[in-house]
Amino acid sequence: MKKLFVLLLAVILFIACEKKTQRYFAESAEIETLKSGIKAYETGNWDKWKSHFSDTAKVFVNSTKPLTIEKRLEGLKAMTSAMSTYGFNHDKEYIEMVLDKEDETWVYYWATHVGTFAANKKELTIPVHLAVQFVDGKIVEEHIYFDGTAMNSEFAAIAAAAAAEAATEVLEN
């Protein structure tokens, strides 16, 4: 009986002392790093934006094929140069950090991106999701998901209008 009591006490102590690992976080250094990167994007501070990534980081934009940081930066500069204003709606954003079952650190971000095209003053609002993996405080992988249909249509319309205007000028000269 005494052995059973000691065994039961040991089991209770073991269960009581078992540490549960926290897996979800609303605040972390990685979250702050992502927020800083988003602010750098919104202000066009490309050196600051780039500083948050590891040298070998891979960026996936609606694709399974990765881009280098340099290629992603080239695309962002081209897109934002066509906008008179752009950025995320921070009133309706959601961000969390997760330690997954492999103990990888991921930060997930959901928000709407609002941009106004300089050429035609057309405003687009697009829901965006980011899944960002961190190692040693740096972004090593970023997955960006959004429906680019409306944005691509606007870029095509702007390009067509510019081509038509150029053709008209050639004909007039």
Side-chain angles (χ1 to χ4, degrees):
M1 181 74 164
K2 188 176 180 183
K3 288 181 181 181
L4 183 59
F5 178 74
V6 171
L7 180 62
L8 183 60
L9 183 60
V11 169
I12 291 171
L13 284 173
F14 178 75
I15 292 171
C17 292
E18 184 178 56
K19 185 179 177 185
K20 300 273 183 187
T21 302
Q22 184 175 352
R23 308 300 275 177
Y24 299 92
F25 304 85
E27 297 175 356
S28 72
E30 292 84 358
I31 288 173
E32 293 307 312
T33 297
L34 184 60
K35 286 180 177 180
S36 176
I38 289 168
K39 183 176 181 181
Y41 158 76
E42 291 174 329
T43 59
N45 186 342
W46 302 116
D47 289 334
K48 176 85 169 171
W49 176 84
K50 192 175 175 183
S51 74
H52 298 297
F53 291 85
S54 74
D55 293 340
T56 58
K58 296 177 183 164
V59 181
F60 301 82
V61 182
N62 289 333
S63 177
T64 58
K65 295 179 182 162
L67 299 172
T68 64
I69 294 304
E70 288 73 24
K71 277 290 186 192
R72 179 61 180 150
L73 183 55
E74 185 181 303
L76 286 175
K77 285 179 177 180
M79 180 193 76
T80 58
S81 69
M83 304 282 189
S84 57
T85 63
Y86 65 93
F88 289 95
N89 180 350
H90 296 288
D91 294 335
K92 302 269 184 173
E93 69 185 356
Y94 178 77
I95 191 167
E96 71 177 354
M97 187 184 88
V98 175
L99 294 177
D100 70 10
K101 63 185 178 183
E102 285 89 27
D103 283 329
E104 293 177 337
T105 302
W106 289 86
V107 175
Y108 298 110
Y109 180 78
W110 295 265
T112 53
H113 186 273
V114 180
T116 303
F117 286 90
N120 62 8
K121 309 297 183 239
K122 172 95 182 217
E123 183 178 280
L124 290 180
T125 301
I126 301 170
V128 175
H129 172 64
L130 307 177
V132 183
Q133 184 184 19
F134 284 83
V135 173
D136 297 328
K138 293 282 192 176
I139 298 170
V140 295
E141 200 168 296
E142 181 175 35
H143 297 261
I144 305 161
Y145 299 103
F146 62 95
D147 180 356
T149 307
M151 183 172 58
N152 293 337
S153 294
E154 283 306 312
F155 276 120
I158 290 168
E165 184 176 320
T168 302
E169 286 179 12
V170 166
L171 290 175
E172 290 175 355
N173 291 330

